[in-house]
Amino acid sequence: MSRQSPQRAVLVMAKAPFPGEVKTRLANVIGPGAAAELQRAFLLDTLAALAGGTWAAGRSPRVGLVVPDRRHADALRTLIPSTFELMVQPRPGLMAGIAHAFSWAEDQGIALLAVTEADSPSLPPGHVAAAFELLEGVHRGVSLGPCDDGGYYLVAGTGLSAGTAADLFEGQSYESSTICAQTVARARSRGIYAALGPTWYDVDTVDELGRLQHELAGRDDGVEHTRRLLASWPPSAGRLDALLPSP
C-alpha cells in the first residue's frame, strides 16, 4: 500500500466586502465602494484558485475562511459557496486569527496548514505548494511567503500546538515593514524550523493595483472576477487608468 500524503488545508483570513472596512488604503484614493468591490473580487478569485489548486497533493482540498466576527461570517456565507468552511475567530486581530487557525488545525488533525489572505488574487498556485514542500519531513516548523513590502502573503506550519502558535504570532508586537523577518527570527529563537518561499506581492496601494492590472493584461486565464471588474470600472470610482501609474 502506498503511503498516504498528510492532510493539508488552507485557511483565508477574510472580511466581508463592507464599504469603509476593507482595503482602506486603496479606499482613500478610489473610494470605499470601489475598494469593497475589489475586496469581493479578490476573495472570490482567491478561493477559486485555492479550490482548484494542486497543493493538496492528491487529496481533496480543504479550504476555509477565518473571519473577525459573526457579522462578517453571516455576510460572507451569502457570498461564497457552502463548500468552503467558515469560522469566527475568538479573539480580535489578524495575528489572533492566524493563531486560531493553527489551533483549529491541531484539533482537526491537519498535518500541514497554510494561512493566507485575499490580497494577492493572482498568486501562482505553485507558491502554495512550495510553502508545503518546504515543510515536508519537518517535525515542527513554519514557512512564509515574503512580500516586497516586508510582510508575507502566506504562512504555512506543521506541528504547531495552540500554545506555540499563540506565542509565535501573538506574543510579540510586529512592525508591518519587517514582520516577515521578525516572525522567522522569533520562530528560530524558539527552536522552530523556519524557511522562506517565493516572493510575491499584496495589492494594498494604487501602485500595487497598477502592477496587478498590468499583470492581468498579459494573461487570459484565471482571476476572472478581478479581471472583469478592472475592465469595467464603475464610474463612481473614477477613471482607473487616470489613477494608476503607466506600466
Side-chain angles (χ1 to χ4, degrees):
M1 179 181 296
S2 62
R3 183 179 178 184
Q4 193 177 41
S5 298
Q7 178 69 53
R8 299 179 176 187
V10 176
L11 294 181
V12 180
M13 305 296 300
K15 291 182 177 180
F18 294 134
E21 299 184 33
V22 295
K23 312 302 296 177
T24 52
R25 279 195 284 175
L26 274 170
N28 289 332
V29 180
I30 65 177
E37 289 190 61
L38 275 178
Q39 170 76 7
R40 177 184 182 278
F42 284 10
L43 178 59
L44 292 175
D45 285 332
T46 296
L47 293 176
L50 290 173
T54 58
W55 55 268
R59 305 192 65 171
S60 298
R62 192 167 181 181
V63 182
L65 292 82
V66 179
V67 302
D69 55 41
R70 179 53 58 186
R71 183 172 66 99
H72 283 266
D74 291 342
L76 284 170
R77 185 42 74 199
T78 67
L79 176 64
I80 65 172
S82 59
T83 50
F84 294 107
E85 301 179 56
L86 195 153
M87 65 194 72
V88 177
Q89 62 185 70
R91 301 183 301 281
L94 175 62
M95 303 309 280
I98 295 175
H100 175 66
F102 282 101
S103 176
W104 170 85
E106 182 183 30
D107 290 342
Q108 295 287 311
I110 303 294
L112 291 166
L113 173 71
V115 183
T116 187
E117 292 184 287
D119 294 331
S120 305
S122 63
L123 181 71
H127 284 27
V128 181
F132 284 131
E133 288 169 5
L134 286 168
L135 298 177
E136 291 288 354
V138 174
H139 174 67
R140 188 178 67 149
V142 293
S143 62
L144 293 89
C147 286
D148 300 325
D149 61 4
Y152 52 86
Y153 61 83
L154 174 150
V155 56
T158 187
L160 300 184
S161 67
T164 298
D167 175 68
L168 177 59
F169 298 108
E170 298 182 85
Q172 177 173 320
S173 296
Y174 292 106
E175 297 291 335
S176 59
S177 62
T178 57
I179 187 172
C180 184
Q182 284 183 289
T183 303
V184 169
R186 186 170 179 84
R188 290 174 176 168
S189 73
R190 280 151 171 73
I192 301 170
Y193 171 84
L196 296 177
T199 301
W200 199 246
Y201 67 101
D202 284 342
V203 180
D204 291 319
T205 67
V206 168
D207 285 347
E208 290 160 347
L209 186 57
R211 176 178 176 179
L212 175 65
Q213 186 182 41
H214 180 58
E215 178 193 348
L216 296 185
R219 52 185 285 190
D220 58 3
D221 63 314
V223 206
E224 295 301 329
H225 295 87
T226 302
R227 188 191 309 280
R228 287 197 299 269
L229 179 61
L230 293 181
S232 58
W233 198 252
S236 61
R239 287 184 54 79
L240 185 62
D241 56 4
L243 294 171
L244 298 178
S246 300

